Amino acid sequence: MSCQAALSPLVRSPGWCFVLSPHAIAAISRFYLPHHTQSLRNESIRCWSNIPFITMPLSRAHGKSFAHRSELKHAKRIVVKLGSAVVTRGDECGLALGRLASIVEQVSVLQNQGREMMIVTSGAVAFGKQRLRHEILLSQSVRQALHSGQSQLKDMAIPVLEARACAAAGQSGLMALYEAMFTQYSICAAQILVTNLDFHDEQKRRNLNGTLHELLRMNIVPIINTNDAVVPPPEPNSDLQGVNVISVKDNDSLAARLAVEMKTDLLIVLSDVEGLFNSPPGSDDAKLIDIFYPGDQQSVTFGTKSRVGMGGMEAKVKAALWALQGGTSVVIANGTHPKISGHVITDIVEGKKVGTFFSEVKPAGPTVEQQGEMSRAGGRTLAALQPEQRAEIIYRLADLLTDQREEILLANKKDLEEAENKGRLALPLLKRLSLSTSKLNSLAIGLRQIAASSQDSVGRIIRRTRIAKDLELEQVTVPIGVLLVIFESRPDCLPQVSALAIASGNGLLLKGGKEAAYSNQILHHLTQEALSIHGVKDAVQLVNTREEVEDLCRLDKLIDLIIPRGSSQLVRNIQKAAKGIPVMGHSEGICHVYVDTDASVEKVTRIIRDSKCEYPAACNALETLLIHRDLLRTPLFDQIIDMLRVEQVKIHAGPKFASYLTFSPSEVKSLRTEYGDLECCIEVVDGVHEAVEHIHKYGSSHTDVIITENEKTAEFFLQHVDSACVFWNASTRFSDGYRFGLGAEVGISTSRIHARGPVGIEGLLTTKWLLRGDNHVVSDFSDQGSMKYLHESLPLPHRNTS
């Protein structure tokens, strides 16, 4: 129910807005609140937009600002300040209606979540300028038509419009627009105009405070603006020096003063820049500051003020710091960018990395941006080392895994105990989290394989061409750059991926799950200890800050490749969140085993058991078993079913398989299911051609197997199945970097470009071209030139494979 309806005796038109005094509100409350206010607060929340709601308790004691972005979702009372550049059009004459509608939608969503929203808005001057220009043009055209004739119409000039007059003409229209927009979401808005005197006069200040609190109590969104029609011009003063002293001379200072007076949790300042930069935006070295701390002003150079409005970025920063000192968290962000303005406010409240966040709490370690820069610099130094030096680092890491076994297992025990006590991990994930002596020994062996095979990876010449006399071209392997590897419940992934990054000369950012925090911490410490023997400790960084994965995926200036290691949901989320950064991996591991009519009885049950039961949580485990139709009701089929029952594998019947049975197992909900547990689907096919078609339709291009003694059938399957790994008479579980002899893998890629299948060192390399000439220019190779292209292939240097 809207306030418009609740106040129907006073306000009839949905386009009206109203200015209420505390006395008027008190009178309205006595008559209407007993019947309406509680229903306004408690009615079920409805979603009118595509912006998702956040469900959470919204209460906190005001006094200290939030220390981290992730805490912003707990903000109960929020002020949104809309700068002139956000509200007005580019021609500064009229309002940006699309942006304004989007902002109203976001504020409405947050209001209907139970938050208390307030808006400090600009725009009255621009709206009034548009109206006055129209009136002046109309009146001039009429007068000139009457007195001067049509010939002088083209000579009409618009006089300079005084800002106070524009504000007086535009204020009512601006509020009518807000009221009409908020009415679409069943929300009522109220207008409040203030001046500096309203804060310095104690009685007016108390009245203002009481009015705002009463409006918020009635679920009304206050729209506040400086009364530009009467406000005196700003005077230089020495304010912003303490919590009790700030002059309202623009909407930035008004928003800050209001935020502290009303004890708000969050102040969002929207402008026409992304946030605060370390130098003027647009300059070559300008970098967006993610978190700004009091005392950092000396490191910032402020540019010119916005194209419209009273204040520039310096005024915003001073106001923000003043509000922060008063206990209100502040974010300055861009409210004009077409790609983000539609969700900028809700993104900030959800804790996403948008704009500049003001915090009084400095993190103990480097920021993730600093870690990315350290990793890139360290990776370049690593790539410049001799191959023997990189191998020496990996050998040292392998030794540390066995030498420090006790400390590693003790840290892993802490993770397991916490996970079991909290009950937040399913059994398959607990198995992935667990480390053992045998796992550590296997890890050490794999790392030594990587070290041995890495001698000729970086800088290897893969093509040589003589372009012309004394002009030779080489294509050589080089590292990709900085890798971001995100992994869940897999602490053994950390040393594996680190070794591959070291061998390939890449910088590495690691983001592990918090369920493996203790294990990851000690394994990263050992990795850096190994890197230190050649002074490249910074090349591998573990992200321990509260960065959300989605925020990491936006760091396209720092990260060159993202490799997710975890559930299919994690991979899908990262692929969706990555902005301009390639993602290597697979979202699902729907692996098939096809049992042909010519399959060996001895091989079938062994291969199926190993593929499904050896490690059912692995991405290369069997999920769908395809059986040739002629094998139904044969002893071989009975042996398969008996083996699966003994291993306690739950069977789901495919549609065709179910049609052959009187009493079938539960029919599968989807043939595209990755169970990740002791479950699988059985489906019937008419032959190898239908098996291939089924795999192409329902598979994930990961790993698929045929069991047959017919070589012709097997070769058809191997050549026609379009997956990263296709096997004949071998378990799906062989799809693994260690088992392929790669030492380890960063993951299994089902992508069709760059790397495919288990990705080892080779998949972490790209190439560059080196051209060596002697005063060569292209004009020499023209029709009248003195040189001719040769394009001769040259022999490659001998490759070290020892």
Side-chain angles (χ1 to χ4, degrees):
M1 181 179 183
S2 72
C3 273
Q4 202 73 45
L7 303 174
S8 55
L10 298 177
V11 182
R12 292 287 183 184
S13 170
W16 286 12
C17 61
F18 45 90
V19 183
L20 299 177
S21 70
H23 300 293
I25 291 174
I28 294 169
S29 301
R30 286 194 296 272
F31 285 98
Y32 291 97
L33 287 182
H35 306 288
H36 298 288
T37 305
Q38 202 60 36
S39 64
L40 281 171
R41 273 295 181 197
N42 295 337
E43 70 175 342
S44 59
I45 293 174
R46 292 166 289 174
C47 185
W48 293 278
S49 73
N50 58 357
I51 302 173
F53 280 3
I54 312 169
T55 304
M56 65 195 65
L58 297 173
S59 62
R60 70 184 285 262
H62 187 82
K64 287 201 71 174
S65 59
F66 294 118
H68 305 282
R69 283 184 185 268
S70 58
E71 298 171 352
L72 295 180
K73 59 179 173 286
H74 300 298
K76 165 75 171 176
R77 186 171 290 173
I78 302 171
V79 171
V80 179
K81 186 265 175 179
L82 307 178
S84 300
V86 176
V87 177
T88 61
R89 296 198 312 242
D91 60 4
E92 302 174 23
C93 185
L95 302 180
L97 295 179
R99 280 201 297 269
L100 205 57
S102 175
I103 288 165
V104 167
E105 179 185 26
Q106 295 173 75
V107 170
S108 300
V109 167
L110 296 173
Q111 179 80 3
N112 283 293
Q113 290 174 357
R115 305 180 199 269
E116 296 174 342
M117 304 298 297
M118 292 178 278
I119 294 177
V120 175
T121 183
S122 302
V125 174
F127 196 60
K129 185 188 290 186
Q130 182 185 34
R131 293 181 64 183
L132 291 180
R133 286 182 65 179
H134 178 76
E135 291 297 326
I136 291 170
L137 282 172
L138 185 62
S139 63
Q140 283 184 344
S141 63
V142 171
R143 285 198 305 271
Q144 292 192 10
L146 291 173
H147 302 292
S148 306
Q150 295 289 337
S151 61
Q152 295 185 16
L153 282 177
K154 63 178 183 290
D155 299 324
M156 288 190 302
I158 304 223
V160 176
L161 299 174
E162 206 274 330
R164 292 193 187 97
C166 291
Q171 195 63 249
S172 61
L174 176 65
M175 280 308 304
L177 185 61
Y178 272 119
E179 179 70 12
M181 288 181 174
F182 274 112
T183 300
Q184 302 302 311
Y185 302 95
S186 299
I187 290 175
C188 202
Q191 178 186 20
I192 296 179
L193 299 177
V194 297
T195 66
N196 200 22
L197 297 176
D198 295 318
F199 290 97
H200 289 282
D201 184 293
E202 189 60 32
Q203 183 60 46
K204 290 183 177 181
R205 182 178 162 190
R206 281 201 300 268
N207 289 345
L208 175 62
N209 194 291
T211 300
L212 287 170
H213 276 94
E214 196 66 19
L215 290 172
L216 293 176
R217 191 169 75 85
M218 292 195 297
N219 204 30
I220 296 173
V221 176
I223 311 282
I224 305 107
N225 194 1
T226 52
N227 192 352
D228 293 329
V230 300
V231 69
E235 297 178 3
N237 53 46
S238 57
D239 63 1
L240 297 160
Q241 301 300 313
V243 172
N244 296 318
V245 184
I246 183 171
S247 297
V248 176
K249 54 188 179 182
D250 54 38
N251 277 342
D252 295 316
S253 54
L254 169 60
R257 181 66 183 258
L258 185 73
V260 175
E261 289 279 346
M262 293 298 294
K263 297 180 179 178
T264 56
D265 302 314
L266 174 61
L267 167 61
I268 299 174
V269 180
L270 297 183
S271 183
D272 56 353
V273 292
E274 278 70 22
L276 186 60
F277 288 78
N278 60 353
S279 57
S283 59
D284 291 338
D285 298 325
K287 290 183 180 178
L288 179 66
I289 298 173
D290 174 41
I291 306 176
F292 189 79
Y293 305 99
D296 284 356
Q297 297 96 308
Q298 292 77 14
S299 62
V300 176
T301 303
F302 293 102
T304 58
K305 76 177 192 69
S306 171
R307 60 177 172 83
V308 288
M310 295 287 293
M313 185 55 73
E314 187 171 9
K316 290 175 175 56
V317 171
K318 286 182 177 179
L321 290 173
W322 189 88
L324 185 69
Q325 186 182 355
T328 296
S329 297
V330 183
V331 175
I332 296 178
N334 192 333
T336 63
H337 197 292
K339 289 187 177 179
I340 63 172
S341 59
H343 46 81
V344 60
I345 299 172
T346 50
D347 280 355
I348 289 170
V349 175
E350 288 173 16
K352 294 180 181 178
K353 187 174 284 191
V354 178
T356 298
F357 173 61
F358 286 70
S359 175
E360 294 182 296
V361 181
K362 278 202 171 187
T367 65
V368 68
E369 288 84 3
Q370 291 169 333
Q371 285 185 297
E373 291 170 356
M374 292 161 64
S375 179
R376 186 172 296 282
R380 285 171 177 163
T381 306
L382 182 66
L385 295 177
Q386 294 299 314
E388 297 80 11
Q389 293 174 305
R390 289 193 294 270
E392 188 180 349
I393 294 171
I394 301 170
Y395 280 125
R396 177 60 181 152
L397 179 56
D399 293 339
L400 287 170
L401 290 178
T402 53
D403 295 345
Q404 304 294 323
R405 181 186 303 112
E406 300 293 332
E407 290 82 353
I408 296 171
L409 295 179
L410 185 62
N412 185 244
K413 184 180 178 183
K414 286 183 183 179
D415 287 325
L416 288 169
E417 287 173 351
E418 283 197 8
E420 288 170 354
N421 291 337
K422 293 179 181 178
R424 65 187 183 192
L425 288 183
L427 185 60
L429 291 179
L430 275 174
K431 289 180 180 177
R432 289 186 180 185
L433 177 60
S434 176
L435 293 176
S436 63
T437 300
S438 61
K439 265 191 179 182
L440 292 175
N441 289 336
S442 296
L443 273 174
I445 293 170
L447 263 58
R448 292 187 179 99
Q449 285 183 350
I450 294 172
S453 63
S454 67
Q455 298 291 325
D456 191 24
S457 54
V458 180
R460 176 167 52 89
I461 301 171
I462 60 175
R463 179 181 299 182
R464 291 180 66 216
T465 305
R466 180 177 286 117
I467 304 296
K469 185 177 183 298
D470 297 326
L471 184 64
E472 292 189 4
L473 178 69
E474 289 180 350
Q475 186 182 14
V476 300
T477 58
V478 294
I480 287 174
V482 175
L483 315 175
L484 169 62
V485 178
I486 303 168
F487 54 101
E488 294 177 322
S489 307
R490 288 283 300 270
D492 55 328
C493 173
L494 194 152
Q496 286 180 337
V497 172
S498 297
L500 288 168
I502 293 165
S504 56
N506 283 289
L508 179 62
L509 286 175
L510 293 158
K511 176 66 172 175
K514 56 187 175 183
E515 66 279 352
Y518 294 110
S519 306
N520 290 338
Q521 189 172 359
I522 189 170
L523 290 170
H524 178 248
H525 173 74
L526 296 177
T527 302
Q528 290 203 312
E529 184 178 331
L531 286 162
S532 296
I533 65 176
H534 288 296
V536 286
K537 178 182 176 181
D538 290 342
V540 177
Q541 299 284 327
L542 180 64
V543 179
N544 282 319
T545 60
R546 298 191 180 199
E547 304 296 324
E548 297 292 336
V549 168
E550 187 172 339
D551 292 328
L552 291 172
C553 292
R554 294 175 178 171
L555 301 177
D556 57 322
K557 299 290 190 299
L558 298 173
I559 297 166
D560 300 299
L561 179 66
I562 302 174
I563 305 171
R565 294 286 303 270
S567 66
S568 57
Q569 187 60 50
L570 171 74
V571 178
R572 281 194 296 270
N573 289 343
I574 290 172
Q575 288 172 335
K576 184 178 179 180
K579 305 296 183 185
I581 309 175
V583 178
M584 178 189 290
H586 63 280
S587 58
E588 292 174 307
I590 304 174
C591 303
H592 295 76
V593 172
Y594 165 57
V595 182
D596 188 51
T597 49
D598 297 322
S600 163
V601 175
E602 292 76 20
K603 295 175 184 176
V604 168
T605 53
R606 272 174 52 84
I607 292 173
I608 294 174
R609 180 189 288 110
D610 190 78
S611 297
K612 179 72 255 184
C613 309
E614 197 266 342
Y615 190 9
C619 65
N620 57 8
L622 162 67
E623 303 294 4
T624 298
L625 178 61
L626 299 176
I627 304 286
H628 194 289
R629 179 168 51 87
D630 293 345
L631 293 177
L632 293 177
R633 299 184 180 90
T634 64
L636 175 58
F637 178 76
D638 293 338
Q639 287 181 31
I640 295 171
I641 299 299
D642 290 342
M643 181 273 294
L644 293 175
R645 283 174 179 164
V646 169
E647 297 292 342
Q648 299 182 328
V649 177
K650 183 178 180 181
I651 298 173
H652 302 275
K656 287 188 177 180
F657 181 45
S659 68
Y660 284 97
L661 305 173
T662 306
F663 301 100
S664 70
S666 61
E667 189 166 340
V668 69
K669 294 180 180 178
S670 171
L671 289 168
R672 292 192 183 95
T673 303
E674 182 179 13
Y675 298 99
D677 206 346
L678 285 172
E679 298 181 60
C680 76
C681 168
I682 296 181
E683 183 58 309
V684 174
V685 293
D686 289 336
V688 67
H689 290 83
E690 190 177 346
V692 171
E693 290 175 6
H694 179 102
I695 290 168
H696 288 166
K697 186 173 183 179
Y698 300 108
S700 60
S701 302
H702 192 294
T703 302
D704 299 292
V705 171
I706 182 172
I707 306 176
T708 184
E709 295 304 300
N710 188 314
E711 184 176 352
K712 184 178 179 181
T713 303
E715 285 301 326
F716 178 88
F717 187 89
L718 293 174
Q719 297 302 321
H720 285 81
V721 171
D722 187 15
S723 296
C725 300
V726 189
F727 302 160
W728 173 21
N729 287 348
S731 168
T732 59
R733 297 280 290 121
F734 279 104
S735 180
D736 176 83
Y738 172 73
R739 297 181 180 110
F740 276 16
L742 306 178
E745 66 187 29
V746 292
I748 295 178
S749 173
T750 55
S751 172
R752 299 181 185 278
I753 57 173
H754 186 59
R756 201 173 186 205
V759 180
I761 299 172
E762 296 291 330
L764 300 180
L765 297 170
T766 184
T767 63
K768 71 177 180 180
W769 298 89
L770 305 177
L771 183 63
R772 296 179 175 91
D774 183 14
N775 196 30
H776 288 81
V777 292
V778 170
S779 58
D780 287 343
F781 294 86
S782 64
D783 292 340
Q784 293 77 32
S786 58
M787 301 196 72
K788 300 293 182 184
Y789 288 112
L790 300 176
H791 293 150
E792 296 176 359
S793 294
L794 299 175
L796 298 178
H798 177 68
R799 184 178 178 184
N800 180 15
T801 57
S802 61

